[in-house]
Amino acid sequence: MERPAWAPPGIDISVPSVSRIYDYYLGGSHNFEVDRQAARRAMEFMPGLPKIMQANRAFMRRAVRHAVAEGVTQFLDIGSGIPTFGNVHEVAQAASGEARVVYVDHDPVAVAHSRAVLGEDERTDIVAADLRKPNEILAAPEVGRLIDLDRPVALLLVAVLHFLEDADDPYAAVAGLRDALAPGSLLILTHASYEGIPLTEEVAGGVVDVYRNIRNPLVMRTGEQIGRFFDGFELLEPGLVSMPDWRPDGSDGEAEDASPEDPYAFSGFGGVGRKA
């Protein structure tokens, strides 16, 4: 298998990567055949996966513009994956010249490509770290350079918490990050769930099996379980809802077409909370 120039040395390109599979769903070019094969296997059970990812990305853009409208211009995006068109720093910086963004991911391909994409952007950086170790994230020099934790921060946990198993104690990880944030900070979150998927749980479970087989367990939590991640935050209207239902009218910025007519777009949950 030929190694592309953008793939950093030391990466086993014969093993699928969650971030590269996500890139494939979004129509990106930074994925390998092994990633595409895994994605196609998952789509055999749930053909609407690309629509879910598009709705997820559209929600993220609306939430970022809302944060800027609320005066929050610092963004900490954990589990950021491979930057594609319309990512956090592009949306935030288009809305505010003061926006600063730190991406965090533990996938070395995502980190290496992020560095290449960001180049000399002094207001954006990338940290190689794991959500399960929030103290390491907070202590990273890149965070210290760009993020003032004494001021409100928008913490993005978009399509990442469902890759943490209960044994990883994801609630403690989120709480550790929350406790470091100043009042007025925002939590922007999306999470996969069987709720809303236009399939039986048995059929949708085939996707969970695909991710388990590539050693990236996908944990489908209920709306109630997902809501617990907002402990210590006040959920903003309209609450924890399907992603196209979160402020779809563009009241906080440009309206987006997340293909809401497609039933798959309404799978899972998204929400934004504010720390008191």
Side-chain angles (χ1 to χ4, degrees):
M1 183 184 303
E2 185 177 350
R3 178 181 294 274
W6 54 263
I11 298 301
D12 185 351
I13 63 175
S14 68
V15 177
S17 154
V18 165
S19 62
R20 297 193 307 263
I21 291 171
Y22 184 74
D23 177 70
Y24 173 73
Y25 288 143
L26 289 174
S29 59
H30 292 88
N31 48 78
F32 307 134
E33 181 57 27
V34 68
D35 307 305
R36 296 188 284 273
Q37 289 175 354
R40 288 192 288 264
R41 285 197 299 272
M43 290 170 63
E44 289 176 6
F45 297 97
M46 193 181 299
L49 278 167
K51 288 296 182 184
I52 297 173
M53 305 312 167
Q54 291 163 19
N56 184 81
R57 181 53 62 95
F59 163 86
M60 178 275 289
R61 290 194 290 259
R62 295 196 304 276
V64 166
R65 287 196 294 264
H66 171 78
V68 173
E70 291 290 306
V72 179
T73 57
Q74 303 185 106
F75 297 84
L76 182 59
D77 183 2
I78 302 178
S80 51
I82 297 172
T84 54
F85 178 75
N87 213 324
V88 174
H89 72 283
E90 293 177 334
V91 178
Q93 290 173 2
S96 170
E98 302 298 317
R100 295 171 178 264
V101 178
V102 176
Y103 292 116
V104 180
D105 207 288
H106 74 290
D107 182 338
V109 170
V111 172
H113 188 62
S114 296
R115 289 186 175 135
V117 168
L118 299 176
E120 301 300 319
D121 186 344
E122 291 295 322
R123 292 181 291 133
T124 310
D125 213 333
I126 176 73
V127 175
D130 195 311
L131 172 56
R132 289 167 289 196
K133 299 177 180 179
N135 290 337
E136 292 185 9
I137 294 173
L138 296 167
E142 297 89 346
V143 173
R145 180 176 76 86
L146 288 175
I147 303 293
D148 179 0
L149 292 173
D150 292 327
R151 295 174 47 237
V153 175
L155 169 64
L156 288 93
L157 299 174
V158 174
V160 63
L161 285 166
H162 46 236
F163 292 113
L164 268 62
E165 297 182 276
D166 291 342
D168 297 319
D169 203 353
Y171 297 103
V174 175
L177 294 164
R178 176 201 65 210
D179 292 346
L181 300 179
S185 293
L186 301 175
L187 172 59
I188 298 171
L189 180 152
T190 66
H191 197 296
S193 176
Y194 286 121
E195 298 178 38
I197 295 177
L199 297 170
T200 66
E201 186 170 324
E202 180 181 11
V203 173
V207 176
V208 175
D209 291 339
V210 169
Y211 279 91
R212 183 183 298 115
N213 290 337
I214 64 172
R215 300 180 181 179
N216 284 284
L218 177 62
V219 182
M220 306 289 264
R221 296 187 169 94
T222 66
E224 181 179 0
Q225 291 169 327
I226 297 167
R228 286 178 51 202
F229 288 115
F230 287 94
D231 286 354
F233 294 89
E234 175 192 359
L235 266 172
L236 305 184
E237 291 294 335
L240 186 64
V241 295
S242 64
M243 292 173 289
D245 287 330
W246 197 87
R247 307 197 179 193
D249 59 358
S251 59
D252 296 309
E254 180 185 353
E256 304 231 20
D257 178 13
S259 299
E261 74 281 357
D262 190 303
Y264 280 101
F266 294 85
S267 305
F269 292 94
V272 178
R274 179 188 294 113
K275 183 176 177 181

